[in-house]
């Protein structure tokens, strides 16, 4: 199962929260709570018909919006945190601990100026 994840959310009509570790570390807790709530709501909509898993491997493939160099663990770490919490809230995963998520991989997908994103692949482990 592959889900396209946004790299940012609008927390007000004119203000966006870009998901990366620097913003997460420096943001006020109310801004973080609002960003996570909006991100989760958007992801819950995408997960409404998703199958249920017990044990998974998660692969995040990051597509950057420009040719500038980027440390992909910077945005992927926060996207992973928000996405895992949404997977649990939606019931796709029972928990997001090491018993249920046995592997997390961040991959470079390339540059996509038209559609920067992070694609989450959920791979069932037997």
């Amino acid at each position: 199962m592959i889900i396209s994840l946004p790299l940012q959310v609008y927390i007000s009509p004119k203000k966006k929260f870009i998901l990366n570790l620097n913003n997460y570390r420096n943001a006020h807790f109310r801004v973080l709570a609002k960003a996570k709530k909006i991100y989760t709501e958007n992801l819950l909509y995408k997960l409404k018909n998703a199958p249920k898993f017990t044990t998974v491997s998660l692969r995040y493939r990051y597509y950057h919006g420009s040719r500038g160099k980027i440390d992909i663990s910077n945005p992927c770490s926060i996207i992973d945190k928000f996405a895992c919490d949404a997977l649990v809230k939606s019931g796709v995963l029972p928990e997001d601990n090491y018993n249920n998520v046995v592997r997390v991989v961040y991959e470079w997908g390339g540059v996509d100026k038209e559609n920067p994103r992070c694609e989450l692949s959920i791979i069932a482990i037997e």
Side-chain angles (χ1 to χ4, degrees):
M1 171 177 197
I2 299 175
I3 303 165
S4 183
L5 304 173
L7 306 180
Q8 62 192 17
V9 293
Y10 279 89
I11 55 175
S12 72
K14 294 183 179 180
K15 187 171 182 176
K16 63 184 171 182
F17 181 82
I18 299 170
L19 278 81
N20 68 47
L21 193 55
N22 296 330
N23 288 342
Y24 186 85
R25 182 186 63 221
N26 296 325
H28 189 276
F29 73 92
R30 288 187 180 149
V31 171
L32 289 176
K34 188 168 187 176
K36 184 176 179 182
K37 180 180 180 210
I38 293 167
Y39 198 88
T40 299
E41 288 170 356
N42 292 339
L43 195 48
L44 287 176
Y45 177 76
K46 292 181 178 185
L47 295 170
K48 66 181 176 182
N49 295 320
K52 308 299 183 218
F53 299 97
T54 302
T55 308
V56 297
S57 171
L58 301 177
R59 185 184 73 210
Y60 295 89
R61 183 170 286 156
Y62 185 85
Y63 294 86
H64 198 45
S66 71
R67 295 199 180 277
K69 291 183 180 178
I70 185 170
D71 171 3
I72 63 171
S73 65
N74 191 329
C76 287
S77 60
I78 303 307
I79 292 168
D80 176 42
K81 174 66 179 144
F82 284 16
C84 280
D85 289 348
L87 290 171
V88 171
K89 187 169 184 173
S90 70
V92 170
L93 283 176
E95 292 292 334
D96 58 351
N97 61 36
Y98 62 86
N99 290 318
N100 303 101
V101 180
V102 298
R103 183 180 310 114
V104 178
V105 177
Y106 303 151
E107 293 179 350
W108 174 248
V111 175
D112 188 341
K113 293 180 182 182
E114 302 299 318
N115 185 25
R117 67 197 178 282
C118 187
E119 291 181 350
L120 167 59
S121 297
I122 304 171
I123 302 141
I125 305 291
E126 308 244 351

